[in-house]
Amino acid sequence: MLRTAILRSAAAATRVAVRPVPQIASRVTIAPVMRTTSFAPKAVAWQGIRCYAAGGSLDKEEVYERIRQLLAAFDKVNDPKNIKETAHFSNDLGLDSLDTVEVVMAIEEEFSIEIPDKDADNIHSIDKAVEYILSQPDAY
């Protein structure tokens, strides 16, 4: 008896009452829209899909400019005038290995990406960083 009552209440909860929305008087004819009056869960399985829009990629000048601004704000750079497209982090900008790691982490934050350690070891100059960022489809 309890089982029957539970099944009846569950069946009643899943029924969705549908009533038409009244027409609006205007020159344009509007098709009747069905509106649900119950918030009962429907037996529909949704599948998550991640969509990407085309044409949102970065160009080389924009990436270089953002990295240049990031390095100009970095207080351990010996001379901001040395920041050029081919500048090496340690030879031209006076950064040691720990500072280079900090720069790579700042680049990760700036472009909202994660750079694996094996790839981060190869980024020692601005042009290598720009090249890596341009190869990442998720960078923005």
Side-chain angles (χ1 to χ4, degrees):
M1 184 162 228
L2 178 64
R3 180 175 177 227
T4 306
I6 291 172
L7 291 174
R8 284 184 185 161
S9 64
T14 58
R15 284 188 214 121
V16 178
V18 178
R19 58 187 159 128
V21 176
Q23 293 275 340
I24 299 173
S26 68
R27 293 182 184 199
V28 178
T29 304
I30 300 174
V33 178
M34 304 307 276
R35 182 174 56 185
T36 61
T37 58
S38 173
F39 293 100
K42 296 181 181 180
V44 177
W46 293 95
Q47 189 175 21
I49 299 173
R50 187 171 182 181
C51 300
Y52 291 96
S57 64
L58 300 169
D59 62 340
K60 187 175 181 177
E61 291 79 25
E62 179 185 358
V63 173
Y64 166 70
E65 186 59 32
R66 287 170 64 181
I67 291 175
R68 189 192 64 74
Q69 290 175 354
L70 186 138
L71 288 170
F74 195 64
D75 58 345
K76 295 183 180 179
V77 172
N78 58 8
D79 188 12
K81 294 177 185 175
N82 292 339
I83 301 173
K84 298 186 177 23
E85 288 187 33
T86 59
H88 193 271
F89 292 149
S90 62
N91 296 341
D92 299 325
L93 302 178
L95 302 176
D96 61 4
S97 60
L98 185 59
D99 296 333
T100 302
V101 171
E102 289 180 25
V103 167
V104 171
M105 289 172 55
I107 290 172
E108 286 178 333
E109 281 187 36
E110 176 69 26
F111 293 97
S112 300
I113 60 171
E114 185 174 334
I115 301 174
D117 291 337
K118 65 181 181 89
D119 293 334
D121 291 340
N122 297 329
I123 300 175
H124 294 290
S125 61
I126 295 176
D127 57 346
K128 293 286 186 184
V130 170
E131 179 182 316
Y132 184 81
I133 296 298
L134 291 176
S135 69
Q136 299 301 310
D138 290 340
Y140 64 91

